[in-house]
Amino acid sequence: MAPAAARPTTTDLFSRLSFRRAVSPSHFRLPSTPAPAPRLQAATATIVALHKRNPKRLKYDSQRQFTRGDGGMLRVKVEPSGEDFWKLDPIVDLINRGAVGVIPTDTVYSIVCDLSNNDSIERLRRIKGIVNSKPLSILCRSLRDIDTYTTGFPLGTNQGQANIFRAVKRVLPGPYTFILPATKELPKQCIKHGSSTRYAKRRQVGVRIPDDSICQAILQNLEEPLICTSVKYLSEDEWILDPVTIADIYEPQGLDFIVDGGVRIADPSTVVDMAGSYPTIIRQGKGPKLDWMVAEDQDAQSTYSYKAA
């Protein structure tokens, strides 16, 4: 670890994250046989192989910056404030190479992968154990990404239609998932249905811009948004909030990495359906109901069944 006096500024740290993209696809599981010890370099972290131990007793040593689990999963512990986000360099590199892993958001933890990597999306579905017909969300870097992959928010008209775009700008980044009509830029695998040759008609997708320092540090150093789905127990419809527990459960499923940003609170994003006449809340979560949103009737069916964010 670099001395405190030489620690770079926030702007410098962002610029130092790697933008390398691997030329050839590879297996992202780290080898089970010991690799040669890496050379120590200034401003890089030492990667230490853990001796076999009971995963239930796994603790993160404050002296270690990166550790490898017995199964090859990369684990990175980062301060919730994101002040040491220079540690995320290997995570950005793995995502660019097609890895599937877990990162924190401003609500709960999410399983993520590269938006354009079809194989990674298939692996994400298998790891999470979700059916092909279930839609996936995207974590966006900015409103520009939302404009690229969806038709965007209503701008309002002279006939009295509200300017929703202006209202949304006040709450993003924030703990909201907005359901919007998708454009052709959205990969078909996000809404895949059936076999590899059958797809549901591209209609809607959930979009998020999380207000989380760690998540933003990762997103801002990628070339496109991330596919995401929330982390839950494999047999229960309940979020997993402790990153150590997530590692215990999902490492055997084939997870490539996990970013430990501390234990979260069971408070998912508020899901707002923008496809109807009014912005309708179909799941109340961390984001408060605002005056331009309406609450869905509990007995009514939403136009978009959505729980993934």
Side-chain angles (χ1 to χ4, degrees), residues 1-271:
M1 183 177 295
R7 185 164 294 174
T9 64
T10 299
T11 303
D12 292 337
L13 291 176
F14 265 119
S15 65
R16 294 179 63 176
L17 285 176
S18 171
F19 287 86
R20 300 189 304 273
R21 183 177 289 270
V23 176
S24 60
S26 62
H27 300 290
F28 307 101
R29 306 291 294 165
L30 298 175
S32 57
T33 56
R39 245 178 229 183
L40 295 178
Q41 299 178 1
T44 60
T46 302
I47 301 180
V48 181
L50 290 178
H51 294 293
K52 191 167 184 177
R53 67 178 79 177
N54 184 346
K56 297 296 182 183
R57 296 174 179 240
L58 177 65
K59 299 295 181 183
Y60 293 100
D61 189 337
S62 61
Q63 300 303 315
R64 293 175 178 145
Q65 296 163 349
F66 302 129
T67 57
R68 291 178 181 173
D70 296 328
M73 185 181 70
L74 179 65
R75 305 179 185 185
V76 180
K77 183 175 177 62
V78 184
E79 292 298 322
S81 64
E83 63 189 53
D84 52 353
F85 50 69
W86 50 272
K87 297 178 182 178
L88 297 170
D89 188 9
I91 299 300
V92 172
D93 184 60
L94 281 173
I95 292 173
N96 284 334
R97 292 164 53 198
V100 178
V102 169
I103 67 173
T105 71
D106 56 351
T107 54
V108 295
Y109 278 88
S110 287
I111 305 177
V112 300
C113 70
D114 186 357
L115 178 79
S116 298
N117 193 313
N118 297 340
D119 291 337
S120 297
I121 297 175
E122 292 298 325
R123 288 186 56 225
L124 181 148
R125 288 185 181 276
R126 289 197 300 269
I127 290 172
K128 176 71 179 290
I130 53 179
V131 296
N132 289 335
S133 59
K134 189 177 182 64
L136 298 169
S137 296
I138 56 176
L139 296 177
C140 298
R141 300 164 296 180
S142 65
L143 289 167
R144 180 176 298 179
D145 283 339
I146 294 179
D147 286 340
T148 299
Y149 297 98
T150 75
T151 57
F153 298 97
L155 297 177
T157 64
N158 294 332
Q159 285 72 40
Q161 183 182 5
N163 190 327
I164 300 300
F165 175 72
R166 184 179 300 170
V168 166
K169 286 176 63 178
R170 299 192 185 104
V171 300
L172 292 180
Y176 291 92
T177 299
F178 291 104
I179 309 303
L180 290 165
T183 65
K184 64 180 181 180
E185 301 298 326
L186 180 71
K188 292 181 291 185
Q189 282 74 11
C190 296
I191 47 176
K192 182 178 176 181
H193 177 72
S195 67
S196 60
T197 58
R198 294 175 55 209
Y199 294 91
K201 183 178 179 181
R202 184 183 286 103
R203 292 182 180 177
Q204 298 150 349
V205 65
V207 295
R208 292 211 60 204
I209 304 180
D211 186 17
D212 179 85
S213 298
I214 300 173
C215 186
Q216 282 294 329
I218 295 171
L219 288 171
Q220 295 301 326
N221 285 278
L222 295 171
E223 297 177 4
E224 56 192 0
L226 289 172
I227 295 292
C228 74
T229 180
S230 57
V231 183
K232 293 187 176 182
Y233 288 95
L234 297 175
S235 59
E236 303 174 28
D237 189 20
E238 181 181 347
W239 290 279
I240 309 178
L241 309 174
D242 187 340
V244 174
T245 304
I246 294 173
D248 291 344
I249 294 175
Y250 279 94
E251 182 172 1
Q253 304 302 315
L255 202 68
D256 297 313
F257 67 84
I258 182 169
V259 177
D260 179 353
V263 178
R264 300 284 149 147
I265 299 174
D267 207 356
S269 63
T270 294
V271 180

